[in-house]
Amino acid sequence: MPPHCDSLDGPVVSAARRALEAHDPRLVLPYVPEKSEAEVLSVFDQVSSVRDTGPDVREVADRHFFETVVRLHRAGEGAPYAGLRPAGTPTGPVIPLAERAVDTGDATEVVTFLTRELALQVQARLAEVGRLAADRDRSVGDARAWVEAMLDFEVYCHTIHTSMIASGHSETAAAHHGG
């Protein structure tokens, strides 16, 4: 997943930081599956009991907590955990727009960007089909190139549509959206 759930400045670690600072693990629990709550609470208690013994211990303890909640979050998504990524790891152009939309309640920037990108992609793929169509009767190789481009275009359109109507994150989200 390209978003930044596994980065040190992503939403999961940000919630974990807030939980540690507020001494309230409930602030991070929404980011992990319900079946993982006991593990999060156990690690939270362990980390909380040693955080104030010194800055080095705090740093190690906090990192352990961050790694735990991100690992459990990723497991809840059915995704592998490959460690924490550094803060500032690029997320692509859409995530910042989506975050701003969440903050403002206005999806205009996201819709504009995605609509423009979709139009460019569909037009470019269809243009390639058209370019190859002129020569498809020249040879089997040319016909194969056209078929590949044509199928790529059709499957791309189908995949985009499937993605548009699918849950964006998890089965839980799909249930909330009636999916």
Side-chain angles (χ1 to χ4, degrees):
M1 147 176 222
H4 55 312
C5 291
D6 58 355
S7 69
L8 287 169
D9 58 351
V12 179
V13 172
S14 295
R17 281 186 208 287
R18 286 191 305 276
L20 289 170
E21 294 305 317
H23 306 287
D24 187 354
R26 294 174 299 169
L27 298 175
V28 75
L29 290 178
Y31 290 87
V32 298
E34 188 174 353
K35 67 183 180 184
S36 300
E37 283 186 15
E39 184 175 352
V40 171
L41 294 172
S42 174
V43 172
F44 182 86
D45 288 343
Q46 293 168 357
V47 165
S48 295
S49 70
V50 299
R51 286 183 84 228
D52 293 331
T53 60
D56 290 343
V57 172
R58 174 179 281 233
E59 186 177 329
V60 171
D62 287 3
R63 180 136 186 131
H64 175 61
F65 186 61
F66 301 158
E67 289 174 346
T68 299
V69 295
V70 170
R71 175 179 51 80
L72 294 171
H73 173 80
R74 298 286 290 160
E77 296 175 322
Y81 173 66
L84 294 174
R85 294 187 301 158
T89 299
T91 59
V94 177
I95 294 298
L97 297 175
E99 287 177 332
R100 200 162 33 253
V102 169
D103 289 343
T104 65
D106 183 0
T108 303
E109 287 182 295
V110 177
V111 170
T112 299
F113 177 83
L114 292 175
T115 301
R116 184 174 48 243
E117 185 64 28
L118 176 62
L120 290 171
Q121 289 293 322
V122 168
Q123 290 165 354
R125 290 165 192 265
L126 184 57
E128 181 68 0
V129 172
R131 184 184 73 73
L132 294 170
D135 295 331
R136 74 177 178 219
D137 294 330
R138 191 170 62 184
S139 72
V140 173
D142 289 331
R144 280 192 183 112
W146 176 81
V147 167
E148 185 63 31
M150 178 266 301
L151 292 175
D152 176 75
F153 173 73
E154 292 176 2
V155 171
Y156 177 79
C157 291
H158 171 75
T159 301
I160 293 298
H161 179 256
T162 301
S163 293
M164 289 171 65
I165 61 174
S167 166
H169 187 257
S170 68
E171 292 178 21
T172 304
H176 288 291
H177 297 294

